[in-house]
């Protein structure tokens, strides 16, 4: 590439990367693997769209703003097997809103150029790109958080700006309670940055204390409105339990080995944080700019230290609001060093392009996001819509069947399983399935608690991507007189089904002529046909809707 061509291409390189980001988001939305949190969020949104109140009528251990805001989008798309793909596409504006906020932070701390490239690096960073691709509350969570930081790093500080930042931070808290960790880190980072200022250049502390009042006032607006709403709906206690109390469990995750985790994290991360703060102190030109950069960097460092050392369950999405902060500081540091020597200006542009290309190569080679990993979820939802009708329940883990209620109130994720293990929640799956006459369940999973899992395995048969009430009738069921005995534990409508051909005979002493409601207890079937292969008793609607337990993974 000759020098003139470089001069023409390099100025438009950022716009080419943004166009690539937009195209890749759409292409990857239908292919990237489905995380179990995604249908869980979508199930809650389905509940809102169908008149169910979060926490009271449908359990969820997340804050509610994300679900409320995306309910109109769900209604617009409607019930369809690929709804998750469309909901992922609907979050693309949030992705670019987050990048815009990154740009604003970079612009205020360094320059427009730093802001633009920091946004590009953030968007192309593989973990950020893929985790934010998933349909989860974190997609929305990072937007008000980053926008709040963009407001806070502007100068001069004004009460109106602090009020806006407070509303944004309160909104973030109403999207995810993990904001509490970020707020703690931000507060400590601000105190630390103020303490690190050299004596002659100390900024007026009184100004910061005064501006904290409108910040705090703004932070209560959205949480107070939500609290009032759920109070008027008679669901405030359920909201408090689900969002706060349910998630605090002794011995959960890192809390099992808190001392070891905190020790190692402090030993590794604290020197890096101190070293980074020193570099910012050393190379920032004036006290005010140095303070704002330190606040952003120390917020990142302290939050990561707390996540790795003290937070009970650490997930990929917990780092979404933090990665952009480090990228902004690193990009600014890189460009300031390069641009301190004008002769390196062109070389610095090439360096930026090379870094962005390296991120793309890493994303493509390591993650292969074009593979169609979302197809199993589409097939599952297709079976849900074909096999069940509105009002029927399905026993699933976390709402992965999206469009149907679960007879067991809680979601079976890590926190709930720990509570069941500790005896804080009863495994009432067998009783709840019988009480609601639930005849459909998801396929076997080790994440079902042992008592409920054993009940489901004994009383359900796989059909397609789901299981339905029924059982195979084997030689062990056949008595010496030819009667076939079997026990029913879920009272509902059943049919007899043979592997090859029709079934005839007598059920409980009367001629078998099709679907029949069977109560709990033992039943007797005597067949008058032979040579039709294996025999099963199965939930009648499954047979009527084209499903068979004799065809693995498929309907008839």
């Amino acid at each position: 590439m000759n020098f003139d061509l470089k001069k023409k291409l390099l100025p438009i390189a950022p716009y080419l990367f943004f166009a690539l980001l937009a195209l890749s988001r759409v292409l990857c939305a239908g292919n990237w693997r489905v995380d179990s949190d995604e249908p869980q969020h979508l199930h809650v949104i389905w509940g809102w769209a169908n008149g169910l109140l979060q926490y009271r009528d449908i359990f969820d251990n997340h804050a509610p703003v994300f679900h409320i805001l995306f309910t109109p989008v769900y209604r617009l798309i409607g019930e369809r097997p690929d709804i998750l793909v469309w909901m992922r596409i609907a979050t693309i504006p949030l992705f670019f809103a987050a990048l815009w906020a990154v740009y604003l932070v970079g612009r205020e701390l360094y320059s427009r150029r730093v802001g633009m490239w920091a946004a590009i690096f953030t968007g192309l960073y593989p973990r950020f790109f893929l985790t934010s691709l998933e349909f989860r509350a974190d997609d929305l969570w990072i937007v008000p958080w980053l926008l709040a930081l963009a407001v806070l790093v502007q100068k001069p500080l004004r009460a109106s700006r602090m009020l806006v930042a407070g509303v944004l931070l309160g909104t973030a808290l109403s999207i995810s309670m993990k904001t509490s960790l970020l707020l703690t880190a931000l507060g400590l980072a601000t105190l630390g940055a103020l303490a690190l200022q050299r004596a002659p250049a100390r900024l007026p502390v009184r100004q910061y204390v005064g501006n904290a009042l409108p910040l705090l006032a703004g932070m209560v607006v959205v949480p107070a409105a939500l609290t009032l709403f759920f109070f008027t709906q008679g669901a405030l206690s359920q909201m408090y339990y689900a969002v706060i109390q349910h998630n605090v469990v002794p011995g959960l995750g890192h809390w099992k080995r808190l001392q070891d985790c905190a020790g190692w994290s402090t030993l590794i991360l604290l020197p890096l944080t101190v070293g980074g703060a020193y570099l910012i102190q050393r190379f920032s030109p004036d006290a005010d700019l140095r303070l704002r950069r330190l606040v952003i960097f120390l917020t990142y460092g302290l939050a990561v230290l707390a996540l790795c050392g003290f937070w009970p369950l650490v997930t990929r999405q917990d780092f979404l609001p933090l990665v952009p902060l480090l990228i902004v500081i690193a990009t600014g540091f890189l460009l300031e060093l390069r641009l301190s020597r004008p002769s390196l200006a062109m070389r610095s542009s090439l360096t930026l392009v090379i870094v962005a290309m390296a991120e793309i190569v890493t994303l493509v080679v390591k993650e292969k996001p074009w593979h169609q990993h979302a197809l199993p979820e589409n097939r599952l939802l297709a079976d849900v819509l074909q096999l069940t009708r509105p009002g029927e329940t399905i026993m699933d883990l976390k709402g992965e069947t999206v469009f149907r209620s679960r007879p067991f109130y809680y979601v079976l994720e890590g926190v709930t399983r720990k509570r069941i293990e500790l005896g804080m929640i009863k495994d009432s799956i067998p009783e709840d399935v019988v009480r609601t006459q639930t005849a459909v369940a998801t396929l076997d999973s080790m994440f079902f608690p042992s008592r409920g899992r054993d009940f489901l395995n004994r009383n359900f048969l796989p059909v397609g991507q789901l299981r339905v009430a029924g059982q195979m009738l084997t030689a062990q069921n056949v008595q010496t007189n030819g009667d076939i005995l079997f026990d029913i534990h879920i009272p509902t409508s059943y049919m007899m089904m043979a592997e090859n051909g029709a079934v005839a005979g007598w059920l409980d002493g009367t001629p078998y002529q099709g679907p029949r409601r069977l109560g709990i207890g033992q039943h007797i079937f005597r067949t008058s046909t032979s040579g039709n292969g294996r025999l099963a008793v199965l939930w009648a609607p499954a047979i009527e809707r084209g499903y068979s337990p004799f065809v693995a993974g498929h309907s008839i």
Side-chain angles (χ1 to χ4, degrees), residues 283-507:
F283 291 101
S284 295
D286 63 78
D288 184 67
L289 196 57
R290 181 166 59 244
L291 174 69
R292 290 182 287 149
R293 292 177 182 178
L294 276 172
V295 168
I296 294 300
F297 177 75
L298 290 177
T299 298
Y300 166 83
L302 294 173
V304 170
L305 184 63
L307 273 175
C308 296
F310 304 99
W311 204 248
L313 294 177
V314 181
T315 60
R316 293 174 292 108
Q317 55 268 24
D318 295 337
F319 294 92
L320 281 177
L322 300 174
V323 168
L325 309 188
L326 180 62
I327 290 178
V328 166
I329 297 297
T331 305
F333 187 74
L334 173 66
L335 277 177
E336 282 199 339
L337 285 181
R338 289 284 188 174
L339 297 181
S340 61
R341 296 175 60 184
S343 61
L344 296 178
M346 183 63 68
R347 192 178 303 174
S348 69
S349 298
L350 284 174
T351 301
L352 295 172
V353 172
I354 290 171
V355 171
M357 292 300 297
E359 287 186 310
I360 295 173
V361 171
T362 303
L363 177 65
V364 170
V365 172
K366 186 178 179 180
E367 303 294 347
K368 299 179 177 60
W370 62 85
H371 285 186
Q372 296 183 334
H373 295 300
L375 287 179
E377 178 69 15
N378 294 348
R379 289 197 292 264
L380 170 63
L381 295 186
D383 272 356
V384 168
L385 293 174
Q386 182 178 338
L387 181 58
T388 65
R389 299 295 180 265
E392 294 176 348
T393 53
I394 298 179
M395 184 60 223
D396 62 10
L397 291 169
K398 298 174 59 176
E400 61 269 28
T401 57
V402 178
F403 309 120
R404 302 292 179 256
S405 293
R406 183 176 51 256
F408 184 68
Y409 175 64
Y410 300 94
V411 293
L412 290 166
E413 38 71 71
V415 178
T416 301
R417 293 198 302 272
K418 184 65 177 180
R419 283 184 165 269
I420 292 175
E421 177 187 328
L422 296 174
M424 302 170 74
I425 292 176
K426 180 185 176 182
D427 175 7
S428 61
I429 291 175
E431 291 81 4
D432 292 336
V433 168
V434 172
R435 173 180 53 83
T436 58
Q437 300 181 30
T438 297
V440 184
T442 51
L443 297 177
D444 184 31
S445 169
M446 62 179 291
F447 296 118
F448 283 113
S450 57
R451 183 170 178 265
R453 184 183 185 188
D454 180 66
F455 178 84
L456 295 173
N457 287 341
R458 286 188 289 106
N459 293 282
F460 284 77
L461 290 176
V463 295
Q465 305 299 312
L466 295 163
R467 288 184 288 178
V468 299
Q471 56 188 282
M472 289 291 184
L473 303 179
T474 66
Q476 295 179 348
N477 299 94
V478 181
Q479 306 301 298
T480 55
N481 63 356
D483 288 345
I484 302 174
L485 303 183
F486 59 93
D487 292 320
I488 290 295
H489 294 95
I490 303 170
T492 186
S493 178
Y494 290 90
M495 288 179 66
M496 312 305 296
M497 186 177 193
E499 186 173 10
N500 304 303
V503 178
W506 292 263
L507 177 59

